[in-house]
Amino acid sequence: MAAWIWLRCLFGPSLHRIHRTPDLNRPESRASRRGWTYQPRSLEKHTDSILSWASAIWSLSYYSSPLLLCYLYRKGMFIQSVSVRPVANPEYLQFITILDETRRNHNPSNKRKLACYDFDFSYWPVDFSWKEVSNPKFSKAGVSLLKPEPKHRGSADGMLNSVRTLPCHIVSYLIAHSFGRRMLYPGSVGLLQKAMRPMLQQGQARLIEEFNGQRNKLLACDGNEIDTMFVDRRGDASERGKTLVICCEGNAGFYEVGCMNTPLEGGYSVLGWNHPGFGGSTGVPFPQNEANAMDVVVQFAVHKLGFQLSDIVVYAWSIGGFTASWAAMTYPEIRALVLDASFDDLLPLALKVMPDSWRPLVKHTVRQYMNLNNADQLLTYQIPEINILGPVLLIRRTKDEIITTTGPEDIMSNRGNDLLLKLLQFRYPKVMTEEGVRAVRQWLGATSSVEEASVYSSYEVDDDWCVSVLQSYQTDRETLFPWSVGEDMALEGRRQLALFLARKYMRNFETTHCTPLPHSEFYPPWRL
């Protein structure tokens, strides 16, 4: 038995922090503290330090060569680190005993004890699997994604074209699986995560120790393990706690320090998760893996946490709009969708940062491997059978330097504008005629709230009249989008409706892309 414990300590996971003790045997010096950083003994500390530096040097050479990365990734040649654990450390002994017991019997009592520790998440047992609610026979290949329309060609032309474009396909694959994916999702790069580790550990400790957050590992259909954090507010007096906000982070965001804090400070129940390859999540953040991860997160919220889809608001920041719009497309019964600093399509933003001579290659690479088609997914968000027509709120950063195609000073190049226009033109095509689009563009071009209000008032928009027209149409028909409201309307009326709808679907936030959204700016979208 002693030999087994020694081996478990020798090859056990790294322990980072003890959030609270699982029993009453806390030392007096720590009685007033909710958690503390685990202090390794001398041998353990020096061993971890050596292995940490070795891993960093390996990562530097590993990421510096995209072609080498692709080869080694396929060969599975990764360094596995092992830490030396002195058996004499009673805190580590207690932890490893609890971990072994939880692996044998993953019941709520053992889970609560294990949750008192922050350690290498790869050792954390799975709390929920996609297999619990899905048929493995049909789901193992991955969830459904919208695909670009195929170009129809004759059989001979198609074969000739395939041979001619083969080099482009090969180069696109290499780009996507090397530096392309890392440019798109820098948070998946190990060196960045290593630099951010103290900040992430501090953020996670705050969620667990101050908000009683519950960390869970979810198993997606592609085999990736998804790291999640749930804060339950249903026991609070506020009605907001009964609503669950699922948060989708940006391309360098983590739930520990990301947009999860906005609804959390607003009093909502919150479920955050990390992209594949971010934090404790495994895998790489390609669109298919992203959608697979989002699917198991939603299933977990419904089947394990006990929320109805109608109790769930999906909130996304920046690139998180892809998984959020996918969730709205796939689970249209959700209560609402809030997209902050997001875009309509990745391609224009990718073309912005690459040389013009690369344009055909960039287009092929994005469409084949990184097709973040947020607008296309958003247009499918509606379910009239239960009188839900896809409540959406778009938050545009007026000084956004990331999702503009020219620069933050040119607000009309913000791709959030295109997301709004595509949504309105699909849902209300008779309102969004040439004159309606022109009026909305003028409103979008306002650079301040004062100028925005001036444009709105110049068209003499009557909010009450607009609401009555839309409500009357909905009561008489209750049909799917697109609506034909406005087809027999005078020009003035269509322009008023266009501006009214634009202001209801989009709100401006006068700041840059990466400024955290205050909780006062987060609220459910407008409903008719």
Side-chain angles (χ1 to χ4, degrees):
M1 185 63 181
W4 168 246
I5 294 177
W6 186 87
L7 286 173
R8 288 295 290 118
C9 291
L10 179 65
F11 295 103
S14 298
L15 179 59
H16 309 304
R17 184 179 176 86
I18 302 175
H19 297 299
R20 59 183 73 89
T21 54
D23 52 34
L24 299 179
N25 298 324
R26 176 182 295 185
E28 289 299 321
S29 61
R30 293 170 176 161
S32 61
R33 297 160 63 186
R34 297 201 62 187
W36 62 93
T37 302
Y38 173 69
Q39 300 296 332
R41 298 294 174 87
S42 178
L43 178 59
E44 178 184 353
K45 179 167 62 177
H46 291 308
T47 305
D48 282 343
S49 178
I50 293 170
L51 290 170
S52 178
W53 275 105
S55 177
I57 294 170
W58 167 258
S59 296
L60 184 62
S61 60
Y62 184 79
Y63 288 117
S64 64
S65 174
L67 295 179
L68 179 63
L69 170 63
C70 183
Y71 174 79
L72 294 180
Y73 175 79
R74 289 295 177 186
K75 293 295 183 180
M77 298 170 66
F78 295 92
I79 287 182
Q80 302 292 332
S81 62
V82 178
S83 298
V84 178
R85 311 282 173 198
V87 181
N89 194 324
E91 290 178 336
Y92 191 86
L93 273 175
Q94 184 181 38
F95 155 68
I96 206 69
T97 301
I98 292 172
L99 176 61
D100 287 342
E101 180 60 31
T102 307
R103 284 176 173 273
R104 288 192 297 268
N105 185 10
H106 194 191
N107 58 32
S109 175
N110 287 334
K111 172 68 185 296
R112 282 193 297 271
K113 293 178 182 178
L114 189 63
C116 297
Y117 299 94
D118 175 19
F119 57 97
D120 184 349
F121 198 62
S122 63
Y123 289 81
W124 190 285
V126 172
D127 298 290
F128 179 81
S129 171
W130 65 282
K131 295 179 182 178
E132 296 180 31
V133 294
S134 301
N135 187 335
K137 182 179 179 181
F138 299 105
S139 302
K140 200 167 184 178
V143 298
S144 298
L145 294 179
L146 288 179
K147 301 292 184 182
E149 289 292 329
K151 296 180 179 179
H152 298 288
R153 301 175 182 269
S155 57
D157 289 343
M159 183 174 297
L160 182 62
N161 184 67
S162 297
V163 173
R164 188 171 64 250
T165 59
L166 181 60
C168 181
H169 283 279
I170 294 174
V171 175
S172 291
Y173 178 88
L174 294 175
I175 290 174
H177 288 78
S178 57
F179 66 87
R181 188 257 296 173
R182 291 171 180 82
M183 286 178 63
L184 186 59
Y185 288 94
S188 66
V189 177
L191 287 175
L192 178 62
Q193 293 192 39
K194 183 177 179 62
M196 293 183 64
R197 186 173 299 162
M199 185 190 307
L200 297 180
Q201 289 176 349
Q202 183 179 6
Q204 187 178 114
R206 173 177 172 267
L207 291 170
I208 293 175
E209 296 168 16
E210 295 183 24
F211 295 97
N212 198 30
Q214 304 166 26
R215 197 178 187 190
N216 293 280
K217 178 186 284 189
L218 316 184
L219 183 64
C221 61
D222 52 18
N224 286 335
E225 298 170 347
I226 307 303
D227 183 5
T228 71
M229 180 67 70
F230 171 55
V231 176
D232 194 353
R233 295 281 184 72
R234 285 172 289 188
D236 297 353
S238 173
E239 281 295 312
R240 287 184 173 184
K242 298 176 183 178
T243 298
L244 176 68
V245 179
I246 297 179
C247 298
C248 304
E249 299 290 344
N251 65 352
F254 301 79
Y255 71 68
E256 291 91 339
V257 292
C259 66
M260 180 176 175
N261 287 292
T262 296
L264 190 63
E265 293 172 1
Y268 294 91
S269 293
V270 185
L271 176 59
W273 61 283
N274 280 332
H275 299 283
F278 283 57
S281 297
T282 63
V284 289
F286 283 111
Q288 184 66 65
N289 297 348
E290 288 275 287
N292 294 341
M294 186 66 191
D295 186 63
V296 77
V297 168
V298 174
Q299 296 284 2
F300 172 71
V302 173
H303 296 282
K304 197 66 177 270
L305 301 181
F307 288 91
Q308 300 294 318
L309 284 172
S310 57
D311 298 327
I312 295 175
V313 173
V314 179
Y315 167 50
W317 175 64
S318 191
I319 209 170
F322 172 73
T323 48
S325 57
W326 180 89
M329 173 183 73
T330 309
Y331 298 99
E333 301 92 343
I334 63 171
R335 177 177 294 186
L337 178 66
V338 180
L339 301 180
D340 177 15
S342 198
F343 52 85
D344 62 323
D345 186 8
L346 177 65
L347 183 58
L349 299 173
L351 292 171
K352 176 186 75 170
V353 299
M354 302 301 288
D356 289 340
S357 59
W358 287 35
R359 191 178 186 89
L361 183 60
V362 171
K363 184 175 181 180
H364 185 271
T365 303
V366 168
R367 289 291 178 244
Q368 290 297 316
Y369 300 105
M370 302 173 177
N371 193 34
L372 305 186
N373 49 347
N374 299 350
D376 293 340
Q377 295 182 150
L378 185 59
L379 300 188
T380 69
Y381 175 34
Q382 54 182 329
I383 179 165
E385 291 82 0
I386 56 174
N387 200 31
I388 291 180
L389 293 174
V392 177
L393 174 63
L394 308 179
I395 300 174
R396 182 181 65 160
R397 309 297 184 96
T398 58
K399 301 176 183 177
D400 201 308
E401 73 283 13
I402 301 298
I403 66 166
T404 48
T405 53
T406 57
E409 67 284 348
D410 181 12
I411 195 170
M412 289 308 294
S413 72
N414 188 308
R415 296 304 299 189
N417 301 337
D418 301 86
L419 187 58
L420 173 68
L421 288 170
K422 288 177 181 178
L423 181 62
L424 294 181
Q425 287 175 309
F426 171 77
R427 290 188 170 188
Y428 312 99
K430 304 302 182 181
V431 173
M432 296 299 292
T433 58
E434 184 178 345
E435 287 297 323
V437 171
R438 185 178 294 116
V440 172
R441 285 189 177 278
Q442 185 180 352
W443 179 79
L444 288 170
T447 56
S448 67
S449 57
V450 174
E451 188 178 345
E452 179 187 330
S454 175
V455 172
Y456 198 78
S457 62
S458 69
Y459 284 92
E460 300 179 345
V461 181
D462 185 339
D463 289 2
D464 293 335
W465 176 80
C466 292
V467 169
S468 66
V469 169
L470 294 170
Q471 286 180 338
S472 176
Y473 181 91
Q474 183 183 41
T475 301
D476 292 343
R477 295 166 181 81
E478 293 187 355
T479 59
L480 278 167
F481 289 124
W483 283 6
S484 60
V485 61
E487 61 182 343
D488 299 323
M489 193 175 289
L491 179 60
E492 275 190 24
R494 287 201 300 269
R495 288 190 299 201
Q496 284 193 44
L497 270 179
L499 284 171
F500 172 81
L501 290 167
R503 195 167 74 161
K504 290 299 184 183
Y505 277 88
M506 176 177 277
R507 283 187 57 85
N508 283 330
F509 182 37
E510 297 183 14
T511 187
T512 57
H513 186 79
C514 295
T515 304
L517 185 73
H519 68 87
S520 58
E521 295 289 329
F522 179 85
Y523 44 82
W526 168 74
R527 284 173 176 265
L528 185 59

